[in-house]
Amino acid sequence: MDETGDIRAGRLPAEDLGRNFLDAHPPLHGRAALVEASRCHFCWDAPCVKACPTSIDIPSFIRKIATDNMKGAATDILSANIMGGMCARVCPTEILCEQACVRHDQDDKPVEIGLLQRHATEWVYGSDTTPATQLFRRAAPSGRRVAVVGGGPAGLSCAHRLAMLGHDVTVFEAREKAGGLNEYGIAAYKTVDDFAAREVAWILSIGGIEVKTGQMLGRDITLDQLRAEYDAVFLGLGLGAVRALGAEGETLAGVEPAVDFIARLRQADDLSALPVGRQVVVIGGGNTAVDAAVQSKKLGAEDVTMVYRRGTEQMSATPVEQDFARSNGVVLRTWMRPVKVHGADGRVTGVEFAYTRAGDDGRAVDTGETRLIAADQVLLAIGQVLLPDGFGGAAVLEMTGDRIAVDAGFATSLAGVWAGGDCVAAGIDLTVQAVEHGKQAALSIDAAFAAAQGRAA
């Protein structure tokens, strides 16, 4: 983005930026981890396991922490969720496993499962002084080749499980790096020390996985080609298109998707050279909106306002994320809908919002009042969509709304094609859910190979 108007770099000294982007949730260490592990009741038929989308055996890995069996703990986690390291950092445990913890019934404080998961896996990926440790081995080569489109959580999860099962995998990734939203779309203070790249490198170290970057479906490759050249195809495309605001003035300079702002920040070598507005308005109520708003503030924006059309209870950002935004100086305004982006000389100067209220059907309806909030930078976090015409060739997939339709095994309507993650009409848009989709799709693909082998015999 051009450094013009009130969007400029260097709003804070480099040392302040360094402090602002330290790990927002530092890991547990040593005795603290043992004390926290001792709080677990090691429940039989544990509700926390049922609440985990990847069904990690949480009591088992915590018990192993308590007995200093870190390899066993990490294996428990990563066998179920190959991206357990990242999920420990970004998963909303407060509404999943920790919400189900029976400790709530005793002292209103659940076992800190997410921090314990991070503690158990931290050592696996290596550091500047210690090498990474590979916990898994490939099965004997099967002779089968699978194309995975998308190097995000769903695609990498699928690729790793397929590699474990002995199949050869080629991952086609549109960007310069694999990792998907873990690399490009999550706040920097959630994944410090280049963790996303280290986790990807560890996943690929099992062998049998080739990654081809700069390969976009519909531009560089087509679904028809992949179906012809590979024994199976998995689509882990994510959601590539940003929803339009649908308001006058949204094309003014200074208005952009929040995911683009976050990606630019995540890939910046020098945060002091990254431009940010003086007055920033973030439109949306999800985790992306929170990440964009908080990082704007941490870069030195004076006023950051996050605006949502309904109430805080309807926000997809959890109460913990909302409180984190407030504690970092972000103002949350609810029941306001954007109706016009104002500007001068081709640049944004503010956003006009209509006040809303809950209608009889629960939807937000306008009250007739409006308010103008000044802004020199507007970040849109109002959701993303899949463009179904971007597959290339003649292949047509059955859709459910704007997502790919899949069956219980994540097979699509096209023979030999599976899909998972945010691009499918199943589950919730979380990293942990995408990992589970990829794992289950890999098992489904392997089962299809085994069935075909049996028929051939």
Side-chain angles (χ1 to χ4, degrees):
M1 178 177 292
D2 294 335
E3 294 188 39
T4 58
D6 284 323
I7 300 178
R8 63 178 177 83
R11 292 191 179 276
L12 293 177
E15 56 270 24
D16 288 351
L17 290 171
R19 285 192 294 269
N20 286 351
F21 284 88
L22 291 173
D23 198 334
H25 305 288
L28 293 173
H29 291 294
R31 179 168 175 77
L34 293 176
V35 170
E36 190 60 31
S38 71
R39 297 183 62 240
C40 181
H41 287 315
F42 311 114
C43 302
W44 177 260
D45 197 26
C48 58
V49 176
K50 296 178 182 179
C52 174
T54 56
S55 301
I56 294 172
D57 191 338
I58 294 167
S60 177
F61 92 70
I62 294 180
R63 187 184 293 277
K64 289 182 174 70
I65 292 175
T67 58
D68 200 31
N69 179 3
M70 300 305 291
K71 182 176 182 180
T75 302
D76 277 350
I77 295 164
L78 298 171
S79 294
N81 179 348
I82 199 59
M83 303 192 94
M86 181 61 78
C87 289
R89 290 159 170 78
V90 304
C91 190
T93 53
E94 65 272 13
I95 63 170
L96 296 171
C97 54
E98 291 179 12
Q99 186 179 58
C101 180
V102 298
R103 273 286 186 179
H104 278 295
D105 299 329
Q106 297 173 321
D107 52 20
D108 200 35
K109 183 179 183 297
V111 175
E112 293 187 297
I113 298 170
L115 285 175
L116 287 173
Q117 180 169 313
R118 178 172 174 179
H119 175 73
T121 57
E122 194 86 20
W123 63 278
V124 171
Y125 310 100
S127 66
D128 293 339
T129 57
T130 58
T133 301
Q134 180 56 254
L135 300 177
F136 305 102
R137 293 182 179 180
R138 295 193 68 200
S142 69
R144 299 283 189 171
R145 300 170 64 243
V146 182
V148 170
V149 183
L156 289 173
S157 173
C158 183
H160 186 273
R161 186 56 58 120
L162 288 168
M164 280 183 62
L165 294 167
H167 311 307
D168 291 327
V169 183
T170 303
V171 177
F172 296 89
E173 167 56 43
R175 295 189 188 243
E176 295 179 357
K177 300 178 183 178
L181 289 179
N182 289 353
E183 175 63 42
Y184 291 96
I186 292 173
Y189 52 76
K190 293 179 178 178
T191 171
V192 299
D193 299 328
D194 205 24
F195 179 76
R198 289 195 292 124
E199 184 178 54
V200 169
W202 179 81
I203 289 171
L204 299 178
S205 69
I206 192 173
I209 306 172
E210 178 186 10
V211 178
K212 295 185 176 181
T213 57
Q215 297 292 303
M216 180 181 290
L217 189 65
R219 184 192 68 190
D220 307 292
I221 51 175
T222 69
L223 190 51
D224 290 339
Q225 291 172 334
L226 297 179
R227 293 178 73 201
E229 296 175 14
Y230 291 84
D231 298 299
V233 179
F234 174 77
L235 302 176
L237 301 169
L239 298 172
V242 178
R243 292 186 189 277
L245 184 62
E248 180 184 346
E250 66 178 302
T251 59
L252 287 167
V255 182
E256 67 171 321
V259 291
D260 291 350
F261 170 77
I262 294 171
R264 192 162 60 248
L265 189 155
R266 283 292 305 276
Q267 301 305 308
D269 294 325
D270 180 6
L271 292 179
S272 65
L274 191 66
V276 69
R278 180 173 60 87
Q279 295 176 297
V280 179
V281 170
V282 180
I283 301 175
N287 289 338
T288 297
V290 171
D291 286 359
V294 171
Q295 290 188 116
S296 297
K297 193 68 177 175
K298 287 179 177 290
L299 284 172
E302 292 179 15
D303 300 306
V304 179
T305 307
M306 181 174 150
V307 187
Y308 184 57
R309 61 189 172 85
R310 301 180 70 190
T312 53
E313 297 82 4
Q314 289 79 37
M315 284 184 176
S316 58
T318 67
V320 168
E321 285 287 301
Q322 295 176 37
D323 289 344
F324 184 75
R326 293 189 188 96
S327 69
N328 279 276
V330 175
V331 176
L332 269 62
R333 298 198 180 279
T334 57
W335 298 108
M336 298 174 71
R337 179 180 67 85
V339 293
K340 182 179 180 180
V341 181
H342 291 255
D345 300 322
R347 296 197 59 83
V348 62
T349 58
V351 183
E352 183 179 347
F353 292 89
Y355 281 100
T356 61
R357 61 174 176 81
D360 294 338
D361 60 356
R363 296 185 179 184
V365 296
D366 292 353
T367 66
E369 300 175 281
T370 62
R371 176 176 179 174
L372 180 66
I373 300 179
D376 41 58
Q377 186 173 27
V378 178
L379 303 176
L380 307 179
I382 52 178
Q384 294 177 274
V385 295
L386 177 70
L387 296 179
D389 59 349
F391 303 139
V396 177
L397 291 170
E398 180 182 336
M399 308 291 289
T400 299
D402 61 355
R403 309 282 182 110
I404 300 171
V406 293
D407 65 14
F410 295 93
T412 71
S413 58
L414 285 178
V417 179
W418 284 256
D422 294 351
C423 69
V424 307
I428 48 181
D429 295 345
L430 292 175
T431 297
V432 64
Q433 186 71 80
V435 172
E436 179 67 6
H437 287 185
K439 179 180 73 178
Q440 294 300 331
L443 295 174
S444 179
I445 292 168
D446 183 66
F449 289 161
Q453 182 96 17
R455 286 194 299 270

